[in-house]
Amino acid sequence: MSDSTPQPWTGPTPVPVQPPSIHVRAVITWIAIFPLVSLGFLAIAPFSGDWHPVLRALVLTLVVVPLAVYLVVPQLMRAHGAIQRRRPRH
């Protein structure tokens, strides 16, 4: 006994994309962090010149880490995924 009820067509099954390797993730994270840290240092330099280096690092990381984790790295990972999907497979 088979069910002859037509099933709705859902389109092609998407090909699962492998997550990037740990090395690619490290490079993507560095690409996000380095410019943010550089710009952050330039931004706080005018008023933090006499601060203790640990305080400067604390203030800088309070801004850079959330920006990187919630905004920049996810965007770069999406871009990497889009590039990977467009590349022909061998």
Side-chain angles (χ1 to χ4, degrees):
M1 295 189 167
S2 67
D3 186 30
S4 62
T5 306
Q7 298 297 317
W9 185 69
T10 58
T13 305
V15 176
V17 177
Q18 293 293 324
S21 72
I22 189 80
H23 307 295
V24 171
R25 291 192 313 254
V27 170
I28 288 172
T29 303
W30 183 84
I31 290 170
I33 294 292
F34 179 73
L36 290 173
V37 168
S38 299
L39 292 173
F41 270 131
L42 291 174
I44 68 171
F47 57 87
S48 67
D50 58 346
W51 293 5
H52 191 278
V54 173
L55 179 58
R56 269 186 286 187
L58 173 69
V59 170
L60 188 59
T61 58
L62 283 173
V63 175
V64 167
V65 171
L67 277 174
V69 169
Y70 294 114
L71 297 176
V72 180
V73 171
Q75 292 296 325
L76 291 173
M77 293 294 277
R78 261 187 228 103
H80 177 267
I83 291 167
Q84 289 301 103
R85 284 188 296 276
R86 274 193 250 139
R87 288 179 54 192
R89 302 284 177 212
H90 295 284

